Amino acid sequence: MKIAVILLTMMFSVCLYPQGTEPTMEKVGKMVKATYFHDNGNIAQTGFLLKGKLHGQWLMYTENGKKIASGKYDEGKRTGKWFFWEGEVLREVDYADNRIVGVKNWNKSEVVSVDL
């Protein structure tokens, strides 16, 4: 039974990604550097895993290669300052214990803090 489940999982994961867009995993010290791709082959996300959990700096991109998010994970939890780009607005989101504790929206002329 276990073997059947493993085989089905492997077959599903192979079918899930179009040819040439499979994620890459590279061992770097105690961590694994993961890179995920959009269907067009451009990078979607890149970052590190530690003991199977997201850890360290992660970057996310649009299908056209434009950066849309940047932040850090600590053993699978978002932590510290994250940045999200949406058109002309840069959103700064502060995390503590994997929860949002503050948000600032930046544009070319002003900073807007969002109360939580």
Side-chain angles (χ1 to χ4, degrees):
M1 181 70 175
K2 284 184 181 179
I3 293 174
V5 171
I6 292 171
L7 288 174
L8 285 172
T9 303
M10 289 174 57
M11 287 176 20
F12 178 72
S13 66
V14 169
C15 296
L16 186 62
Y17 296 100
Q19 200 170 42
T21 59
E22 297 86 13
T24 61
M25 304 289 172
E26 174 188 351
K27 186 143 175 70
V28 179
K30 293 182 179 182
M31 296 196 287
V32 174
K33 182 177 181 185
T35 304
Y36 296 88
F37 299 91
H38 289 288
D39 289 341
N40 65 6
N42 287 344
I43 294 174
Q45 295 186 39
T46 186
F48 293 91
L49 301 165
L50 178 65
K51 299 178 185 175
K53 295 182 180 180
L54 303 174
H55 192 79
Q57 185 71 36
W58 274 80
L59 300 170
M60 290 138 229
Y61 302 91
T62 65
E63 288 183 347
N64 298 328
K66 186 176 178 181
K67 189 181 348 178
I68 55 173
S70 172
K72 291 184 180 181
Y73 284 97
D74 184 10
E75 297 182 357
K77 296 178 181 179
R78 288 184 179 188
T79 185
K81 291 192 184 301
W82 278 68
F83 296 95
F84 299 91
W85 289 265
E86 296 177 26
E88 296 294 316
V89 176
L90 170 62
R91 181 166 289 131
E92 178 183 321
V93 181
D94 291 312
Y95 284 89
D97 295 324
N98 208 33
R99 293 203 262 174
I100 297 173
V101 294
V103 177
K104 289 181 185 172
N105 293 325
W106 301 78
N107 64 30
K108 292 182 179 181
S109 62
E110 63 185 56
V111 176
V112 178
S113 293
V114 178
D115 293 326
L116 298 178

